[in-house]
Amino acid sequence: VLGGPSAEHDVSLVSGRAIAAALAERGHDISGWLVDLDGGWWRLPAEAMSVSLEAKAFDDPQALGAVGPLVAGRALEQIRDNDPVPVVFIALHGPFGEDGTIQALCEAAGLIYTGAGVAASAIGMDKVLFKRLTEGMGMPSVPWITAGAADWAADPRAVQTRLADFARDLPDPRLVVKPSRLGSSIGISIVHHPDDAEYLGGALTDAFGYGDTALIEAYIDHPRELEMSVVGNSPADLEVFGPGEIFSGHEFYDYTAKYSDGVSETTDSATISPQMRTRIHDLAARAFLAIGATGFARVDFMASGEDLYLNEINTIPGFTPISLFPVLCRAGGYDFGAIAERIVELAIARDQLSPRRVLTRADLP
């Protein structure tokens, strides 16, 4: 399942088609399902899953020969009815795909699906909830504060004053403003002058365009951006790979820097001290297990000197040709197709430990 009604729609198309091609190469029977920007579901013909197609071609699913559109429930019924023992590989990024919504739909339809469950997906997608949980467990993060769209609409001056006061207590007054529930660096701004009401207001307005809560973080000057890949369902089978490192071609790793060829560089073997390597592996595993994640995730960090900060978790990380998640997994012997297949295996294993049965009146207390 790829696409989705979110700002990360186009990234999902690249991830989904790459995953489908890799699994088909390994002998799996694949059917593609597109969720369009309006939330309609379309069953795609095999040729529409070609990785050579441009994202804009999917703006008109009927031109691709797609069957639909269907509402979500009916589409999932067709997936269940048409395919023998199907596994839904969720290749959706952002709201609807990564926040527990489609996971709940799959649960209701009785379908096996990849990645984290409903609760873990919801916590992982919400940066504020994730920070509250992990900070409460003693994991380090940069200083942060939140702002709500309702408060902003009611009294913007009060919100600006509160954030300016927060900034003045920091060693560096600059702030990072981002939507609480979105990925791919969309809607993020660096506020260089928090005392400038117009400047700060523009950043908040941009963030509120993608949700009702903005996360405001302390700015770390020239941080190292480190990423870890985590694969598994439990402490017993957990594999942690990395860190990789990102060298952004922009002030921060924004959408353009992330997905445009030649703007940024990455490495799958960041040079860090043995002590930091031990800490980052431990924190990546702890963050994954803390939210109850299963299957796979990417855990992101920032480092300044030997100071290490947990940034966020992505329960459906990118599977594009330039994404670090699958590249880091090579350290465990997984090529692109093998890690996609491992994720399917983990989905089946998790489902087998969660038996589905119909209750009868005799089962009730």
Side-chain angles (χ1 to χ4, degrees), residues 303-325:
S304 179
E306 285 297 302
D307 293 328
L308 186 64
Y309 303 101
L310 175 59
N311 194 22
E312 62 183 79
I313 189 169
N314 292 269
T315 53
I316 306 182
F319 264 85
T320 74
I322 58 174
S323 298
L324 262 180
F325 174 84

Side-chain angles (χ1 to χ4, degrees), residues 150-166:
D151 292 337
W152 175 248
D155 192 347
R157 185 185 297 273
V159 173
Q160 289 172 334
T161 299
R162 185 166 59 88
L163 298 187
D165 290 344
F166 169 72

Side-chain angles (χ1 to χ4, degrees), residues 254-271:
D254 61 14
Y255 187 90
T256 303
K258 190 171 287 189
Y259 297 114
S260 299
D261 289 341
V263 176
S264 301
E265 296 180 3
T266 63
T267 176
D268 60 357
S269 54
T271 302

Side-chain angles (χ1 to χ4, degrees), residues 192-351:
H192 293 272
H193 306 287
D195 287 325
D196 185 328
E198 184 176 351
Y199 195 10
L200 179 60
L204 288 170
T205 300
D206 192 22
F208 291 140
Y210 299 100
D212 59 6
T213 303
L215 172 66
I216 299 92
E217 296 175 313
Y219 179 86
I220 305 297
D221 195 22
H222 296 98
R224 298 183 68 182
E225 299 195 43
L226 306 172
E227 297 187 350
M228 301 290 293
S229 293
V230 185
V231 181
N233 283 343
S234 70
D237 65 8
L238 214 61
E239 298 177 275
V240 183
F241 307 114
E245 184 167 5
I246 298 160
F247 304 95
S248 177
H250 289 173
E251 182 179 15
F252 69 101
Y253 198 41
D254 61 14
Y255 187 90
T256 303
K258 190 171 287 189
Y259 297 114
S260 299
D261 289 341
V263 176
S264 301
E265 296 180 3
T266 63
T267 176
D268 60 357
S269 54
T271 302
I272 57 176
S273 69
Q275 294 82 0
M276 183 176 284
R277 186 171 299 276
T278 298
R279 293 209 319 272
I280 198 170
H281 274 252
D282 174 65
L283 282 169
R286 286 175 60 199
F288 184 91
L289 296 171
I291 70 167
T294 49
F296 67 117
R298 194 190 73 235
V299 186
D300 298 348
F301 296 84
M302 291 190 296
S304 179
E306 285 297 302
D307 293 328
L308 186 64
Y309 303 101
L310 175 59
N311 194 22
E312 62 183 79
I313 189 169
N314 292 269
T315 53
I316 306 182
F319 264 85
T320 74
I322 58 174
S323 298
L324 262 180
F325 174 84
V327 173
L328 292 176
C329 292
R330 292 175 188 164
Y334 299 107
D335 62 19
F336 193 100
I339 192 58
E341 192 171 63
R342 176 62 178 152
I343 289 166
V344 172
E345 292 169 353
L346 288 165
I348 295 170
R350 183 189 64 184
D351 186 75

